[in-house]
Amino acid sequence: MPARLSVFVATGPVTVHRLQDGGDYVLGRGAGCDVRVIDDRVSRRHARLTHGVDGWRIVDMGSKNGLTVDDLRVTDSDLASVARLGLGGVPLRFEPLGEAAMRADAEADLVRRRDAARLQRQLDPAAGLRALLDRLLDSVMKVAGAERGFLLLTHPDGDLRLARIAGLAEEDLEREEFGGSLSAARRAIAERRPVVCCDASDDSRLRSRSSIEGAGIRALACLPLVVLDRVIGVVYADSREPGRALTELDVEILSGLATHAALALAVAGLRDEVEGLEGALGRCESTAERPWRRLAATHRPLETP
């Protein structure tokens, strides 16, 4: 029977692996592993997961920090049903799936991709900046399954200014326990890439003062808005729901939204500037003709022989 293996790491999205009948998979930190788990607690070749005539079986390959199945330390174990695995403390979830369930899983991914394409189409610069900002934050929170979020835009003076907020009050962002979330925003901007955590309280790089652990945040996504290598803003969403996880597909969809939104915001901003310039020119027009109209009046086309 095929199976699904989900790997949970604090400093990134959940990686989901679909395992086939008759498969032989090495799990570990090394570059050559079939299922790679990037964490210092995991050995380079930590465990082997195989499928034979008797079903699925996992075997420790002499790892330093050991293997657990449903919280029990083992050297090997048969896996006949859903199981919680641990590689040196890094949690994994093993789920046997029938062929029908595996197809349904793949079809659900296709539906999510179609929904993401629809959300991108709604990020239309013709709607104007206000509507675009609202749609962007709503879309990111929907994809991330988030309860709260905010959107910061870069001001001409270089500072980030709050543009939109949901599920929070503006003063919440100034509280000490929210410092870790702002650290995530700074990381996303500095590294110009998404910052995603499944359990942010375990990510020491996001801790600031009393950290986001005090806010009870379990999953967060923070995405920079980049146009031509220039960061024009950052969008953030988080969830306090226990067990909430963001997958690699979630991050792919969120990154696509952020890229599309950044371009749409740039176009909408340029459009506003052009409309403002046209309005200024209109106000400057006197009762006399505009300069280029006078120029046109004195211009005579070349006569052809």
Side-chain angles (χ1 to χ4, degrees), residues 85-100:
L85 309 181
L87 302 185
V90 176
L92 295 81
R93 179 178 174 85
F94 174 85
E95 302 169 85
L97 293 178
E99 292 289 350

Side-chain angles (χ1 to χ4, degrees), residues 46-50 57-62 67 74-77:
H46 199 108
R48 171 171 262 114
L49 185 58
T50 58
R57 185 173 182 79
I58 190 166
V59 178
D60 191 302
M61 298 178 69
L67 168 69
V74 298
T75 56
D76 59 83
S77 177

Side-chain angles (χ1 to χ4, degrees), residues 41-177:
R41 294 170 291 178
V42 177
S43 298
R44 293 186 181 277
R45 293 170 62 85
H46 199 108
R48 171 171 262 114
L49 185 58
T50 58
H51 183 266
V53 293
D54 296 324
W56 289 97
R57 185 173 182 79
I58 190 166
V59 178
D60 191 302
M61 298 178 69
S63 67
K64 178 181 179 181
N65 293 319
L67 168 69
T68 60
V69 175
D70 291 333
D71 302 323
L72 297 175
R73 181 77 174 255
V74 298
T75 56
D76 59 83
S77 177
D78 293 327
L79 302 174
S81 60
V82 175
R84 298 186 309 276
L85 309 181
L87 302 185
V90 176
L92 295 81
R93 179 178 174 85
F94 174 85
E95 302 169 85
L97 293 178
E99 292 289 350
M102 193 72 96
R103 286 194 299 271
D105 213 32
E107 289 170 4
D109 285 352
L110 289 176
V111 170
R112 294 205 65 212
R113 292 182 188 279
R114 286 197 293 268
D115 288 345
R118 178 179 54 80
L119 290 174
Q120 285 193 18
R121 289 194 295 271
Q122 292 176 356
L123 297 175
D124 184 358
L129 274 173
R130 290 181 181 274
L132 191 56
L133 294 173
D134 288 337
R135 291 175 185 176
L136 171 58
L137 185 55
D138 287 345
S139 297
V140 168
M141 291 180 63
K142 181 178 180 179
V143 171
E147 306 161 12
R148 314 182 300 182
F150 59 82
L151 174 61
L152 306 176
L153 291 181
T154 304
H155 195 263
D157 63 10
D159 289 340
L160 286 169
R161 305 286 177 87
L162 184 65
R164 287 293 184 276
I165 192 167
L168 289 162
E170 187 171 346
E171 55 267 23
D172 289 336
L173 298 182
E174 300 176 1
R175 293 178 179 171
E176 186 175 3
E177 63 266 22

Side-chain angles (χ1 to χ4, degrees), residues 185-208:
R186 285 192 289 269
R187 265 188 61 198
I189 293 169
E191 298 175 9
R192 282 175 164 72
R193 66 175 183 84
V195 172
V196 178
C197 294
C198 298
D199 188 345
S201 64
D202 285 344
D203 189 350
S204 60
R205 291 180 297 173
L206 297 181
R207 293 180 180 175
S208 173

